[in-house]
Amino acid sequence: MKTPDASATRSFSKFSHARKLVPLITAVITCVFAAGNASATSSHPAYLNDAYCESLVEQFVDSGMRSLGKYINENFKPEYKGGIRNTINFLNQRAEWLGECDAYLSDTASSRVFYDEKNTKAIFEAMDALAKELQLVREGVEYPDAAGNNNPRPFIKSRFDTLAKLVDQHHTRILMKKQFR
């Protein structure tokens, strides 16, 4: 008895064509996803990547906030406009850098620079509020205290404390996330 050739049967022939199409379909799908990701990353500078953004956030959360806290709590003097200007520039520069990373991460990794959209927005708003308050002090706006003296320190400290609280919440979430990896 002669056994039929498997390649000559109709069902095997259909299956073999389907098996040949699977790599082609996979390649097309991969190209579509890669093109979508490439268009998202092509609108951002080449130096942006996940590691860069993560290190920028860590630097701001760690040494940046520590330096800012030391200035606000120990060295802030309304009569020294240069220190205020430098602090405003520091806040604006970090907000710009972190904003750039946030845009990159939301486009490419579907994540945000500070935990989620709500917290990211709150931290950026707190940075902006502190910079604006410092700018008002720099421009000479007076903040009278109960005795009638110009004392902007409590207002600046309040803005900084809001920012520090939000950044600390983000830092706690990051530490918890690392703990459970």
Side-chain angles (χ1 to χ4, degrees):
M1 180 167 122
K2 187 175 178 186
T3 54
D5 183 15
S7 63
T9 63
R10 186 175 167 119
S11 63
F12 182 78
S13 176
K14 284 183 182 179
F15 183 69
S16 100
H17 289 301
R19 279 193 322 190
K20 290 178 183 175
L21 289 177
V22 170
L24 178 63
I25 293 170
T26 304
V28 168
I29 291 172
T30 304
C31 286
V32 167
F33 283 122
N37 195 22
S39 67
T41 58
S42 66
S43 64
H44 299 285
Y47 61 84
L48 287 177
N49 61 42
D50 293 348
Y52 169 80
C53 291
E54 186 177 325
S55 70
L56 185 64
V57 171
E58 285 179 12
Q59 183 277 331
F60 176 73
V61 168
D62 186 32
S63 62
M65 284 301 293
R66 192 171 42 245
S67 174
L68 190 57
K70 184 172 173 99
Y71 172 74
I72 297 296
N73 293 319
E74 298 174 19
N75 300 325
F76 174 71
K77 296 192 177 23
E79 59 272 10
Y80 297 128
K81 308 296 186 206
I84 296 172
R85 182 196 64 235
N86 292 344
T87 304
I88 293 168
N89 289 341
F90 171 83
L91 286 166
N92 290 337
Q93 184 183 57
R94 294 317 182 275
E96 182 182 334
W97 292 352
L98 292 166
E100 191 175 53
C101 275
D102 187 54
Y104 170 79
L105 291 173
S106 66
D107 285 350
T108 60
S110 299
S111 65
R112 301 306 293 257
V113 75
F114 293 113
Y115 187 65
D116 62 12
E117 184 175 358
K118 179 183 169 194
N119 291 309
T120 299
K121 184 178 178 191
I123 289 173
F124 282 131
E125 286 173 354
M127 291 171 73
D128 186 51
L130 178 57
K132 284 181 179 178
E133 202 74 49
L134 286 166
Q135 184 60 36
L136 290 174
V137 171
R138 187 168 179 249
E139 291 171 357
V141 172
E142 297 215 357
Y143 294 79
D145 61 10
N149 300 320
N150 181 28
N151 186 12
R153 186 177 312 279
F155 296 95
I156 299 299
K157 178 102 170 81
S158 172
R159 297 287 188 189
F160 171 75
D161 288 345
T162 300
L163 175 61
K165 181 180 140 203
L166 292 167
V167 170
D168 188 52
Q169 288 172 354
H170 168 74
H171 190 237
T172 301
R173 284 187 182 107
I174 294 300
L175 291 175
M176 297 280 289
K177 185 176 164 184
K178 285 182 180 179
Q179 180 182 4
F180 293 108
R181 276 189 186 168

